[in-house]
Amino acid sequence: MAGGVEPFDFVFIDADKPNSPAYLAAALELTRPGAVIAIDNAVRDGADVDGDPKSEAAST
């Protein structure tokens, strides 16, 4: 890691959905193997699986 900072063991991402892949990529750079990365609203009964953030299921 840059700057001599120790990697994180846990990251919680609660941000805008369209940029979640970028936040996940950053989190992977900042964590050690075995770390837990949780993304808010990522599961939601499988509603986000279709990948369309404008779908009715994604807005509930």
Side-chain angles (χ1 to χ4, degrees), residues 3-60:
V5 177
E6 292 291 322
F8 292 98
D9 295 316
F10 178 81
V11 174
F12 180 75
I13 300 170
D14 183 11
D16 58 313
K17 283 186 209 170
N19 288 310
S20 288
Y23 298 129
L24 176 58
L28 290 170
E29 292 292 323
L30 296 170
T31 54
R32 67 179 85 239
V36 174
I37 300 172
I39 303 175
D40 188 41
N41 295 332
V43 179
R44 298 172 65 211
D45 295 324
D48 291 343
V49 173
D50 68 6
D52 182 4
K54 294 179 184 169
S55 72
E56 181 179 332
S59 64
T60 58

